Each structure stands twice: as C-alpha cells, then as structure tokens.
Amino acid sequence: MNLTPHFLYIETVGCQMNVLDSEMVVASLRQHGYQLVDSVGQADTILFNTCSIRQHAEDKIYSALGQLRRHKQRHPEKIIGVLGCMAQKDQRRIFERAPYVDLVIGPGQLQQTAELIEAARAGRGRQLAVSLGRRDGPVERIRRSHETFDPLRDPAMRATPFQAYLRIQIGCDKFCSYCVVPMTRGPEQGRPPEEILAEARGLADQGCQEITLLGQTVNSYRYRSDGRTTRLADLLVALHEIDGIRRLKFVTNYPQDMTAELLETMRGLPKCCRYLHVPLQSGSNRILQAMKRGYTVEDYREMMARIREILPETAVSSDFIVGFCGETEEDFQQSVELVRECRFKSSFIFKYSQRPGTKAAELLPDDVPEPVKRRRNQELLALQDAISEEDNQTFLGRSVEVLVEGPSRAAERRGEDGDALQLTGRTMCDRIVVFPGTRQQIGQFLAVTILDCTAHTLIGEVLPQHTGAEFALVSGFDAARPRSARRAP
C-alpha cells in the first residue's frame, strides 16, 4: 500500500447518495495516506463527485472543470477525476470535453479510486472505470458491476459525527421516463441485512445517534435469502434495538410501497422519526402516466389517508416537476390543488430538465416554454411556502425536542466563533429549528420553546429547566407573535 502523503480536494454535487459515496471515497483514500484539504490550490488530487438528475448539476461540473484547464497546464502532475453518476452517463465524453481530466469513475467502481489515481500518477494514461449498461450482459453480471463498498466509514467527512447516512439499497427498477438513475446506478438490489446492521452498530460505536437509511425507493427494500424475505419494516425493528441510536429516518419513498404494515411498524417504534418524504411529481394522472410513475393521483390520496390514519402526527414532504412534456395549464392546476389538499411540510419543486438517454428525451417533445416552466415553478413554490409557514405557526408556544446539529447558516455567514452563537437542529418531524445556545450543546437533544417561525424555520429558545433529553410540553405560552403569515391561497 502506498502511504506517500497526498493532498485531496473533493467536491460533491447531488443527493444524499453522493454525499455518502464521497465519505466512502475519502475513507478509502485516507488509508492510502491522503489528507483532506479545503482548496484546489492545496491539493495534488482533485475529485468531483457528480450528479446527472438535472442539467444544472452537470453544467456546474463542466464549468468547474473548465476553470481547471489552466491550473492543470501549470501543474500537470496534479490528478483530476470525475466520479459518480455523470461519469457513468457521459463516460469518454468527459475526456472529449475536458481532455486534461485523468479519471472517470462510475458509482459502482468507487472502491477502485485509489489504484486508478496511482495508475494515472504513474503515467499509465487516462483511467476509465464504469459499470455495464442495462443491456450489456446477463442481469447478475450487470448487478455485480454496480456493487458498492459501503462498510468504509469516516466520521470526519460527515457534517456532524452524530448523524450518518446508511445505504440499504442501490439502483432502481422503476424506469420513470424522465430519470437517468436506473442507467447510472444500475438494477435495484437490497444489501444483506446483516451487513446493514453491522454497519449501524459501527456507526453507533463512533457516536452516531441518528441514522438515515438511503435508497432510491427506500421503502421498496427487500432482500431474499434462504427462503426468507427481509423488508424495510423488518430492518427498522432490528435497527431499533441498537444501543446509542436514538433516531431512525429513511428516504426516498415510493408511494405504492408505503404499506399499512410499514406504517404500523413505525408506530410501534419510538426511534422512528415522524417524517416521510414521498415524491408525487404531478397532480395530473395524464402527466403521471407520461412520466411512467406507476401510480395515480387516487393511489397517492389513498396513501396519504393511510398515513394520516396510522401516523397522524407524521410530516410528509414531496417532490414535483413542473413543465414536463405536454403539461397543460389544467395539468399544472391539478398539481396546485393537490398541494393545497395534502399540505406537505415542504416540497422540492423543479423545472423539467430533459436528460439524454431517458424515454422522455427519446419519445416526448420538451414543449413547455421556459418562461411558462419558470412561472409555474414560482407559483407552486409560493403556495408551498405559504402552507409551510401557516403550519409552522401551530408550533408557537410549544416545546419540541431538537437534536442540535451545529451553528446555523446565519451564524456561519456572520463568522460567529465564540462559545455563544446561534445553533440549528431538527425535530422528530424533520423541522429545522434555530435558537441561541453554546457550542457545548452541539450533539445534544434539547427541549426548545418555539417563539417565531418562517416558512422554512422554527425560531426558539432552550427551556431554562432543561436537563437532558427529557422535556415537557408547554401550554398557554404567550410567545411573541410572528410576522403576519401569508394565508395559503
């Protein structure tokens, strides 16, 4: 093993899967003598872990690579690599657009990163390592080409040492017409439960208190072995028994697999956060069919009714795409009405971005004008913000349990570096809370009284009588009233 000191800069774009992949890569490279640095100028190895879900994410990476052209000319010994989904999708096209790139490595080959870097550094030319395409061989061979190396963990790479992602599933077999994930991440396959539990115990030993289980459609998880099928509900029961873990989350969910069994299992497990992220994408059955989402608006309503009946205190968030191929104003207004009806905690709302290699790009015209996409995006965001702020006001005067994550973004922008500063954390229903506190409280569970709110944030103060994880609900609290909230239209 080469332990010559090297200096690594890594930039990550995209979803939680990419964040976790970067943690794995850094953990592996540390074993080979690499030290993490904060800037390209300090590094002799520069890696970009990429996303292909939207064009904007790819444009950002190609722009960053363009800015490195002269840097590479001045320092030809430096290694530049592109990892992840864009690497799997574009492959040699990356070398064509940025010929000074040394490495292109897909998500299924990240465990080879150290040896590929060394090969490039030794002068053995450009290194390309990607998985097989969905039609490039027998299914099992394709599956193996997409396998990951999840057990490597590095607490220093996580935003906080007491929170971690844990992948339980890779790949996707849903084949939504707009999505590249089945091609970039490969076939859907659940990891063995014994591996997942061992990794969770290791995270708990590192001081992790909150685990978020990851999968492209995480509630579709299943693993078959010796005639027995393990599902997400079974995993949650087993993970719940691990000492040290106090919160369990899982994202992202698929509506058709949000079963009564899973919800009833959650209800009996106090560590399960009362939060579910379940993308809807459109309120129009016609558009859902064009998207090949595999469910109807009526199916989604039934799912929401099931959640409200079994876990009435649960916050639900969603995803929407506006301006999809052929979306009319009537289709869009059906999405507006469903957002009003469902009252999501929050929604990620995106303008449709045509992705090469998808069925939509192949068969459907991207025919909604950009100004219309932009207007629909803004309208749906405004509605969701109004609903979020109105619902957040129901927390005024109440006390909530918060896992303190660290300084708030505002505190970081202001450069607060003393002991007293503004902190941020999350509730069991995944609401963000900011409040004044001290650095010693980071990583603790605190009771915070909510005094004010915005659409995206609860604002509060720590209860003076708080002594640990225990807290009492405060009723009749005459809190300072927030600014006038916009009523949901």
Side-chain angles (χ1 to χ4, degrees):
M1 182 180 295
N2 180 10
L3 292 180
T4 303
H6 286 294
F7 300 96
L8 169 70
Y9 173 83
I10 186 166
E11 185 171 325
T12 305
V13 176
C15 66
Q16 299 101 324
M17 286 283 192
N18 285 29
V19 173
L20 179 55
D21 282 341
S22 289
E23 180 186 337
M24 306 294 179
V25 168
V26 172
S28 173
L29 292 178
R30 283 191 196 276
Q31 294 182 352
H32 290 78
Y34 284 76
Q35 300 175 30
L36 207 58
V37 295
D38 297 328
S39 70
V40 165
Q42 297 172 285
D44 56 42
T45 304
I46 302 161
L47 302 178
F48 295 94
N49 193 7
T50 62
C51 174
S52 280
I53 292 294
R54 284 174 294 280
Q55 186 63 44
H56 176 73
E58 291 189 6
D59 291 343
K60 179 177 180 180
I61 295 301
Y62 279 120
S63 174
L65 290 174
Q67 294 171 22
L68 286 176
R69 179 189 295 272
R70 291 185 179 177
H71 188 73
K72 178 72 169 180
Q73 289 173 346
R74 291 193 297 268
H75 305 281
E77 76 284 358
K78 292 197 175 188
I79 300 298
I80 299 175
V82 177
L83 320 179
C85 290
M86 194 178 95
Q88 178 66 35
K89 183 178 77 69
D90 286 0
Q91 301 188 14
R92 293 192 180 278
R93 183 167 178 263
I94 295 171
F95 292 136
E96 294 168 3
R97 289 191 60 173
Y100 42 91
V101 166
D102 301 287
L103 316 165
V104 172
I105 308 174
Q109 288 67 45
L110 294 179
Q111 67 271 23
Q112 301 176 38
T113 301
E115 62 186 82
L116 293 170
I117 291 173
E118 290 310 307
R121 184 166 279 126
R124 294 202 289 273
R126 296 172 182 163
Q127 301 295 308
L128 173 68
V130 292
S131 297
L132 295 173
R134 296 296 295 243
R135 295 189 178 95
D136 287 348
V139 172
E140 282 308 310
R141 187 168 167 232
I142 294 169
R143 287 180 188 273
R144 286 195 300 273
S145 78
H146 284 273
E147 288 177 351
T148 62
F149 63 133
D150 292 68
L152 287 167
R153 303 309 301 254
D154 189 340
M157 270 300 292
R158 300 200 287 268
T160 74
F162 39 88
Q163 294 171 299
Y165 295 127
L166 198 169
R167 185 176 2 234
I168 68 170
Q169 174 200 68
I170 62 173
C172 184
D173 291 337
K174 299 298 185 285
F175 290 100
C176 300
S177 65
Y178 55 83
C179 186
V180 298
V181 168
M183 280 67 78
T184 60
R185 292 279 180 177
E188 184 177 300
Q189 45 190 322
R191 294 179 62 207
E194 59 272 14
E195 286 186 11
I196 295 168
L197 291 170
E199 191 173 343
R201 293 187 191 101
L203 290 169
D205 291 342
Q206 291 176 0
C208 181
Q209 300 180 71
E210 177 184 278
I211 287 177
T212 300
L213 308 180
L214 297 185
Q216 302 299 150
T217 54
V218 68
N219 60 333
S220 308
Y221 170 85
R222 58 181 53 81
Y223 184 82
R224 297 182 179 91
S225 179
D226 299 326
R228 181 175 183 270
T229 299
T230 302
R231 299 182 185 272
L232 177 58
D234 305 311
L235 269 186
L236 291 174
V237 170
L239 290 164
H240 197 271
E241 298 303 309
I242 297 177
D243 291 338
I245 302 301
R246 293 184 56 176
R247 283 186 181 177
L248 292 168
K249 299 180 184 177
F250 50 93
V251 293
T252 291
N253 294 282
Y254 184 64
Q256 291 295 79
D257 290 318
M258 192 60 71
T259 63
E261 177 196 12
L262 176 58
L263 296 170
E264 287 164 358
T265 299
M266 287 180 64
R267 182 172 61 189
L269 300 175
K271 293 181 182 179
C272 282
C273 289
R274 296 322 191 224
Y275 166 68
L276 295 167
H277 181 70
V278 196
L280 172 55
Q281 303 299 9
S282 175
S284 163
N285 278 334
R286 193 178 70 83
I287 297 300
L288 288 175
Q289 185 176 18
M291 290 177 167
K292 296 191 180 299
R293 285 292 290 168
Y295 55 84
T296 64
V297 168
E298 291 73 25
D299 293 330
Y300 198 93
R301 283 194 173 107
E302 288 179 10
M303 180 207 71
M304 289 295 292
R306 197 156 53 243
I307 293 170
R308 300 306 184 209
E309 177 185 356
I310 298 173
L311 289 172
E313 72 279 23
T314 295
V316 179
S317 63
S318 193
D319 288 352
F320 285 86
I321 296 172
V322 299
F324 186 71
C325 309
E327 184 186 65
T328 65
E329 194 62 28
E330 181 182 358
D331 293 321
F332 171 67
Q333 289 303 323
Q334 289 174 352
S335 293
V336 170
E337 290 306 314
L338 211 52
V339 169
R340 283 199 184 102
E341 176 186 329
C342 292
R343 297 189 69 85
F344 298 111
K345 176 187 80 74
S346 58
S347 292
F348 297 98
I349 301 167
F350 305 103
K351 296 178 294 181
Y352 172 61
S353 173
Q354 190 178 72
R355 311 308 298 127
T358 62
K359 286 296 182 182
E362 179 184 341
L363 301 174
L364 301 174
D366 183 8
D367 55 0
V368 179
E370 182 63 26
V372 175
K373 290 181 182 179
R374 187 162 53 248
R375 189 261 302 166
R376 290 176 183 172
N377 181 267
Q378 292 168 349
E379 182 178 335
L380 205 56
L381 280 170
L383 171 61
Q384 179 62 68
D385 283 352
I387 290 170
S388 297
E389 187 166 346
E390 186 174 291
D391 286 356
N392 277 349
Q393 288 193 41
T394 65
F395 286 83
L396 295 176
R398 293 169 53 187
S399 293
V400 295
E401 184 187 58
V402 172
L403 172 56
V404 187
E405 297 178 349
S408 69
R409 290 183 180 178
E412 290 176 341
R413 283 196 302 270
R414 292 192 294 261
E416 295 180 12
D417 57 3
D419 182 57
L421 73 170
Q422 187 184 69
L423 297 173
T424 187
R426 289 181 188 262
T427 67
M428 277 287 279
C429 57
D430 202 56
R431 283 179 163 83
I432 297 170
V433 184
V434 298
F435 54 94
T438 65
R439 292 189 183 275
Q440 287 75 17
Q441 292 169 322
I442 295 173
Q444 296 183 22
F445 286 84
L446 300 179
V448 178
T449 299
I450 304 305
L451 307 177
D452 202 348
C453 70
T454 68
H456 307 288
T457 309
L458 301 176
I459 303 163
E461 65 180 11
V462 178
L463 287 175
Q465 70 270 29
H466 177 73
T467 57
E470 299 297 324
F471 68 99
L473 291 177
V474 178
S475 60
F477 185 84
D478 187 18
R481 306 307 296 171
R483 55 186 171 82
S484 297
R486 294 165 291 169
R487 298 291 297 178

